């Protein structure tokens, strides 16, 4: 968007002057004392008077830049010196609960946190079991992942409303890795020498070891990035990219659970196009559908979706949402146990869920090299989801979330959880919304939720061994409803920003085609390319002044914008650097309305012709002089006017060439944030070329610091402008 052509030291005074020209001081400058209004009006009016044009060197002399602060070793050591206050500040930053827990308002918050904690804990139970199935792990690991990280987040997290724990997108990223590195085919054992079956106990143990290693490595990446203050790394995942990626991931989640809905067995496909291989294989096996499993899943999905809709509709009247997921798994487990669904109808069930906690186990570091890329992708995606949710709640409730501390908190939850057979976690939007809506005000609610899961692990978990896997698949699919609503982004982005729409669509397609890990890398690369392309194809414009204002706009877009006679004001909407500076120079010459290169070529030819003529005249002159000297005593003295004065530089007019209709070009550098050495070289060429055709080049709104000022001695023919 084109704006006014600001000067180096111009502040808000032009705006004040414009307001003052309106309805008068008393009516427009409300809330300002009369004496200050008069002073501001006088300054504003004086600003509009004639000004002396200063070069950057003259401006530096007048403005008197303050010297930069001197850095000394003693000063640096003083800043890094350990003191009681510094240690306390560091401790409070690393353990945020020490800051807010002593001031915890028990009377106001405790009841809400208890109700919220029980509500979220009830949700953790079915979701933990379901997302463990999604990750290709034993169900109990989902309970572990709902306990340890949730409890640890209380100490390290800065968000009061985030509900950390298993999350569908992270679970399916882990599931794709376990299926590719530990497929069931690697654990076939023969029975009676002929039939082969999968040794599920051995497979699950190997997968738990692999996933625990991935989780520890994910935590290491997150903690390292947080300590190095690299919380900004998530900024490379734009909102359209994250939403397109999570939508595609939910398609992966849906497809991965269809085998449990239809009750068929499938091999694990991995790598690019694995989604389509799985769908084709499923279609081939549809004739083998277990009707009992399909009916169970459909009934469960219908019940969950209907009750969730009622929860949403009557949210204001219900003290807490109806825990339909918990009710579903309790009822279905009871029916499965009473009717013996596994034996009579062949419906697959969860199986044994061991009670009690396991001792910590060190990760297998031999896997680090194989899973480093996947662990980094999981770390970035998990953090991106967590911090985006945290900032939404923080903005709504008026508190701040420390992005780097959130990265450390999430990393410690994963790192320590990996030793206790947890898989990588993030934040769940559904649980976080329940935690907020049921009165949760702090992470005390998270502690209550983790205690609910602890009781389940110790005493109740083993009761769910007859829970049908189709019920868990139904819970997973029903919880994807919110993510599938993100398809509405397409119509919104179509109306607002086509480039963001392209990022969303490319991310979605790449993630579907290339799988979750490669798809994420390709999506980030494409997102960065769109930024580069936008800087390479900016909007170039010639600015004109709107009558009776100090505002400059593109003369092509605004009818009332009139060019200043004899002056071309050129503006680019992007900064200039090596990737677009050639296009900048070409656009400037094109917008100027003359073929600069052609005119320079003609001038060179004319000068070459003039030089030949001068040489010819000099030879003839020398010849005449020689003949005169050889004559009979006659002396001829020629007076050359050129000997008394230096020869003048040929002009375009003297060479018979057309002169440009303007005498000055102003480069508006207000959008320019930096220039590199390549840009400096091309700028030199611009100054030289326009100087050749007798046009002066000036730079307006030049940044106060940077490479351009260091090259100003060369730019003496066209110094940057500043208004005093």
């Amino acid at each position: 968007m084109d704006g006014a052509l600001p000067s180096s030291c111009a502040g808000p005074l032009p705006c004040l002057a414009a307001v003052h020209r309106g309805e008068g001081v008393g009516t427009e400058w409300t809330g300002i004392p009369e004496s200050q209004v008069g002073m501001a009006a006088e300054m504003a009016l004086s600003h509009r008077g004639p000004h002396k044009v200063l070069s950057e060197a003259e401006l530096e002399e007048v403005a008197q830049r303050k010297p930069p602060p001197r850095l000394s070793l003693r000063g640096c050591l003083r800043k890094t010196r350990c003191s009681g206050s510094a240690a306390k500040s560091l401790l409070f930053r690393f353990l945020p609960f020490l800051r807010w827990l002593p001031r915890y308002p028990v009377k106001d918050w405790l009841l809400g946190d208890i109700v919220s904690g029980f509500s979220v804990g009830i949700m953790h139970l079915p979701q933990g079991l379901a997302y463990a199935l999604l990750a290709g792990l034993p169900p109990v690991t989902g309970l572990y992942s709902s306990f340890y990280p949730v409890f640890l987040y209380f100490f390290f997290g800065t968000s009061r409303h985030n509900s950390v724990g298993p999350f569908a997108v992270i679970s399916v990223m882990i599931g794709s890795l376990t299926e590719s590195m530990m497929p069931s085919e690697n654990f076939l054992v023969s029975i009676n020498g002929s039939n082969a079956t999968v040794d599920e106990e051995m497979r699950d143990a190997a997968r738990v070891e692999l996933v625990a290693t991935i989780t520890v490595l994910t935590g290491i990446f997150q903690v390292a990035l947080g300590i190095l203050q690299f919380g900004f790394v998530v900024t490379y995942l734009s909102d359209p990219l994250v939403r397109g990626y999570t939508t595609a991931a939910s398609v992966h989640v849906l497809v991965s659970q269809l085998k449990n809905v239809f009750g068929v067995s499938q091999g694990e496909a991995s790598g690019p196009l694995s989604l389509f291989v799985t769908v084709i294989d499923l279609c081939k096996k549809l004739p083998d559908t277990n009707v009992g499993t399909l009916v169970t899943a459909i009934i469960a999905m219908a019940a969950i979706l209907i009750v969730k809709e009622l929860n949403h509709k009557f949210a204001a009247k219900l003290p807490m949402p109806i825990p339909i997921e918990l009710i579903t798994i309790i009822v279905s487990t009871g029916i499965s146990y009473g009717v013996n669904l596994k034996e009579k109808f062949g419906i697959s069930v969860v199986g044994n869920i061991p009670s009690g906690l396991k001792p910590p186990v060190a990760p297998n570091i031999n896997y680090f090299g194989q899973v480093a890329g996947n662990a980094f992708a999981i770390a970035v995606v998990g953090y991106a989801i967590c911090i985006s949710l945290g900032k939404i709640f923080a903005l709504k409730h008026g508190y701040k979330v420390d992005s780097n501390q959130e990265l450390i908190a999430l990393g410690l939850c994963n790192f320590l959880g990996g030793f206790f057979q947890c898989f990588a976690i993030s934040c769940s939007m559904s649980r976080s919304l329940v935690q907020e809506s049921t009165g949760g005000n702090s992470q005390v609610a998270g502690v209550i939720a983790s205690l609910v899961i602890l009781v389940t692990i110790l005493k109740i978990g083993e009761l769910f061994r007859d829970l049908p896997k189709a019920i868990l698949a139904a819970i997973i699919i029903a919880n994807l409803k919110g993510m599938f609503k993100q398809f509405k982004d397409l119509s919104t982005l179509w109306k607002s920003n086509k480039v963001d729409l392209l990022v969303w669509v490319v991310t979605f397609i790449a993630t579907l085609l290339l799988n979750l890990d490669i798809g994420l890398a390709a999506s980030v690369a494409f997102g960065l390319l769109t930024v580069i392309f936008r800087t390479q194809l900016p909007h170039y414009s010639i600015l004109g002044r709107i009558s009776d204002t100090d505002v400059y706009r593109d003369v092509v877009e605004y009818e009332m914008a009139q060019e200043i006679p004899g002056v071309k004001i050129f503006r680019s909407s992007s900064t200039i650097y090596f990737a677009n500076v050639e296009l900048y120079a070409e656009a400037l010459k094109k917008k100027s309305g003359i073929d600069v290169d052609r005119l320079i070529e003609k001038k060179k030819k004319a000068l070459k012709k003039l030089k030949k003529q001068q040489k010819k005249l000099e030879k003839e002159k020398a010849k005449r002089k020689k003949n005169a000297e050889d004559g009979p005593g006659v002396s001829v003295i020629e007076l050359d006017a050129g000997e008394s004065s230096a020869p003048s530089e040929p002009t375009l007019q003297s060479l018979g060439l057309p002169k440009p209709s303007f005498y000055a070009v102003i480069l508006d550098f207000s959008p320019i944030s930096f220039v590199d050495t390549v840009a400096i070289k091309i700028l030199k060429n611009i100054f030289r070329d326009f100087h050749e055709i007798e046009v002066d080049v000036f730079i307006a709104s030049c940044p106060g610091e940077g490479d351009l000022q260091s090259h100003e001695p060369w730019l003496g023919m066209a110094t940057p402008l500043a208004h005093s």
Side-chain angles (χ1 to χ4, degrees), residues 546-614:
I546 306 294
S547 302
D548 299 326
T549 70
D550 290 330
V551 179
Y552 290 79
R553 290 289 185 268
D554 188 352
V555 295
V556 175
E557 297 180 357
Y558 291 84
E559 294 183 2
M560 300 304 295
Q562 300 295 326
E563 291 187 48
I564 298 175
V567 178
K568 296 283 185 182
I569 305 174
F570 180 74
R571 186 178 190 271
S572 168
S573 61
S574 170
T575 192
I576 53 175
Y577 64 112
F578 69 92
N580 68 356
V581 67
E582 293 279 1
L583 301 173
Y584 179 89
E586 292 176 7
L588 170 60
K589 293 176 180 179
K590 183 178 180 180
K591 289 282 186 179
S592 67
I594 58 172
D595 192 339
V596 177
D597 296 330
R598 179 66 175 161
L599 187 56
I600 292 174
E601 185 180 354
K602 287 183 178 180
K603 181 180 178 180
K604 288 180 178 179
K605 289 182 178 180
L607 287 173
K608 189 175 181 181
K609 185 177 180 181
L610 179 62
K611 194 173 182 180
K612 286 183 179 180
Q613 291 177 351
Q614 288 177 344

Side-chain angles (χ1 to χ4, degrees), residues 46 71 76 87 135 155 166 218 279 282 286 365 380 388 413 463 524 595 619 657-658 711:
S46 64
L71 297 177
C76 294
F155 300 99
T218 298
V279 172
L282 178 69
L286 284 180
I365 60 175
V380 173
S388 60
C413 291
L463 301 178
V524 172
D595 192 339
K619 287 182 180 180
L657 297 175
H711 290 75

Side-chain angles (χ1 to χ4, degrees), residues 531-550:
V531 177
I532 295 173
F533 288 143
R534 283 197 238 191
T535 60
Q536 283 190 301
L537 301 172
H539 177 66
Y540 298 111
S541 55
I542 294 292
L543 303 184
R545 182 180 176 185
I546 306 294
S547 302
D548 299 326
T549 70
D550 290 330

Side-chain angles (χ1 to χ4, degrees), residues 630-661:
D630 294 340
V634 179
S635 166
V636 179
I637 299 175
E638 294 186 8
L639 296 177
D640 190 353
E643 292 177 356
S644 60
S645 61
S648 60
E649 184 75 19
T651 63
L652 292 174
Q653 191 171 1
S654 66
L655 293 173
L657 297 175
K659 189 175 182 180
S661 59

